[in-house]
C-alpha cells in the first residue's frame, strides 16, 4: 500500500496566519501539523508517501521533510495547482500509486488512540474495496456521514452534509482504497462547486457493496485544525497528553524506530540534530531506551 497526504488548499479559514505559509506547516503544539497525518501512514506500515500541495508551498514541505530517508521512508512531491477536490489526489498521484492500493489522509487531521496502529495494519492487510473510518460527532450535518446497519454492521448509506443525518458517524479524513480508486476518480463528474468529491468515490464503492466503515469510538480522538479555535484546541490536547503521559504524539523519529524503519543509533542521531530543543532530548531518550549507545 502507498500513502498520500493531501496538504493543499489556501487555508482561508485561518487567514491571516496562512497568507504566508501552508496551513499544514503550522505548529500543533510541538511539531508541524503535517507530522500527524504522516505518522498515521507510517503506523499503517506504509513507507512510500506522496505529499500533494500547492506549487508555492511544495518547496517548504521538501525543505522540512526531505526525501524521507532519515525516517526510513520515501517522500515524493506533486502539485495540486488549484483546490479541485480531494478525489483529484488519485488523478495527480496515479503514476505514484501504480498498481498498488492506497491510503489517503488529509493534512489537517489528527488521530490518536491506543491500538490504532494495529487497527490500521489489519485494515490495510484485509482491504477489499474501500475502508473508511468513522467517528461519532455531535454535529454530523457538517460532515460526510456513514450509516451502518445495526444488525449486520454493514455500511448502508453515505451522505455529504445531510440536513437530517441518519447517524452521528462522521467519515474522517482517512481513507483506504484498492487500486480501482484511480479509475473511479478519473470517471467522476465535478460537483456543483467544480470539485471532484471524495464522497462520490465512497458512494461508488458502496454501490459495489465494497465499502465498510470502521468505528473509531470510545477511546479515540479525531481532530481537524481548520479554524483558529480548533487549531488551538488541538495544540492544547496534544500538550496535555504529552505532559501527563510523558510521550510525544506523532514523533516521526519514534514511529520510525518503533516500526523498524531505522535503528536506535540512527534515531539518536536524528535527536542529536535537534538537541537544543525538548523534542530533540526526547528523541535521544527514546533511542537510548531502545539500545542506542548515544554515539
Amino acid at each position: 500500500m502507498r500513502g498520500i497526504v493531501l496538504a493543499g488548499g489556501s487555508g482561508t479559514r485561518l487567514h491571516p496566519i496562512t497568507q504566508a505559509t501552508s496551513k499544514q506547516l503550522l505548529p500543533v503544539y510541538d511539531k508541524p501539523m503535517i507530522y500527524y497525518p504522516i505518522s498515521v501512514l507510517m503506523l499503517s506500515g506504509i513507507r512510500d508517501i506522496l505529499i500533494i500541495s500547492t506549487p508555492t508551498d511544495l518547496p517548504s514541505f521538501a525543505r522540512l521533510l526531505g526525501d524521507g530517508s532519515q525516517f526510513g521512508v520515501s517522500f515524493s512531491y506533486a502539485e495540486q495547482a488549484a483546490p479541485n477536490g480531494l478525489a483529484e489526489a488519485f488523478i495527480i498521484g496515479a503514476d505514484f500509486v501504480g498498481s498498488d492500493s492506497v491510503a489517503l489522509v488529509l493534512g489537517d487531521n489528527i488521530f490518536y488512540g491506543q491500538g490504532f496502529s494495529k487497527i490500521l495494519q489489519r485494515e490495510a492487510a484485509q482491504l477489499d474495496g474501500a475502508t473508511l473510518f468513522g467517528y461519532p460527532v455531535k454535529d454530523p450535518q457538517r460532515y460526510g456521514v456513514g450509516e451502518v446497519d445495526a444488525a449486520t454492521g454493514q455500511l448502508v448509506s453515505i451522505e455529504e452534509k445531510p440536513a437530517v443525518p441518519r447517524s452521528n458517524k462522521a467519515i474522517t479524513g482517512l481513507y483506504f482504497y484498492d487500486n480501482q480508486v484511480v479509475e473511479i476518480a478519473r470517471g467522476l463528474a465535478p460537483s456543483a462547486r467544480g470539485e471532484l468529491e471524495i464522497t462520490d468515490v465512497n458512494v461508488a464503492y458502496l454501490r459495489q457493496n465494497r465499502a465498510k466503515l470502521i468505528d473509531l469510538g470510545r477511546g479515540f480522538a479525531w481532530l481537524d485544525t481548520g479554524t483558529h479555535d480548533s487549531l488551538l484546541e488541538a495544540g492544547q490536547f496534544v500538550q496535555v497528553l504529552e505532559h501527563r503521559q510523558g510521550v510525544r504524539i506523532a514523533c516521526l523519529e519514534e514511529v520510525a524506530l518503533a516500526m523498524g524503519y531505522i535503528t536506535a543509533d540512527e534515531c539518536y542521531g536524528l535527536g542529536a540534530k535537534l538537541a537544543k530543543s525538548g523534542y530533540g532530548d526526547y528523541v535521544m531518550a527514546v533511542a537510548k531506551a531502545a539500545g542506542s549507545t548515544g554515539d
Side-chain angles (χ1 to χ4, degrees), residues 133-241:
F133 297 84
Y135 190 79
V137 295
K138 65 179 180 181
D139 48 358
Q141 64 275 8
R142 294 180 50 223
Y143 303 92
V145 175
E147 178 192 9
V148 174
D149 184 279
T152 65
Q154 283 190 307
L155 182 62
V156 295
S157 75
I158 299 172
E159 295 181 286
E160 181 66 24
K161 297 180 181 178
V164 183
R166 297 181 181 179
S167 86
N168 69 338
K169 297 293 189 301
I171 296 174
T172 70
L174 174 63
Y175 317 85
F176 286 1
Y177 298 108
D178 67 10
N179 192 256
Q180 190 188 8
V181 71
V182 175
E183 175 188 345
I184 290 173
R186 284 174 169 159
L188 292 180
S191 67
R193 298 187 299 174
E195 298 182 1
L196 300 181
E197 303 286 355
I198 199 71
T199 295
D200 292 340
V201 172
N202 296 335
V203 168
Y205 277 101
L206 181 64
R207 287 173 177 159
Q208 300 176 16
N209 293 317
R210 298 179 65 235
K212 71 175 180 177
L213 188 69
I214 302 300
D215 185 10
L216 300 178
R218 189 179 298 272
F220 280 86
W222 169 56
L223 308 168
D224 66 32
T225 51
T227 67
H228 296 100
D229 284 343
S230 62
L231 179 61
L232 178 61
E233 289 166 359
Q236 291 171 333
F237 173 82
V238 173
Q239 179 192 38
V240 169
L241 276 178

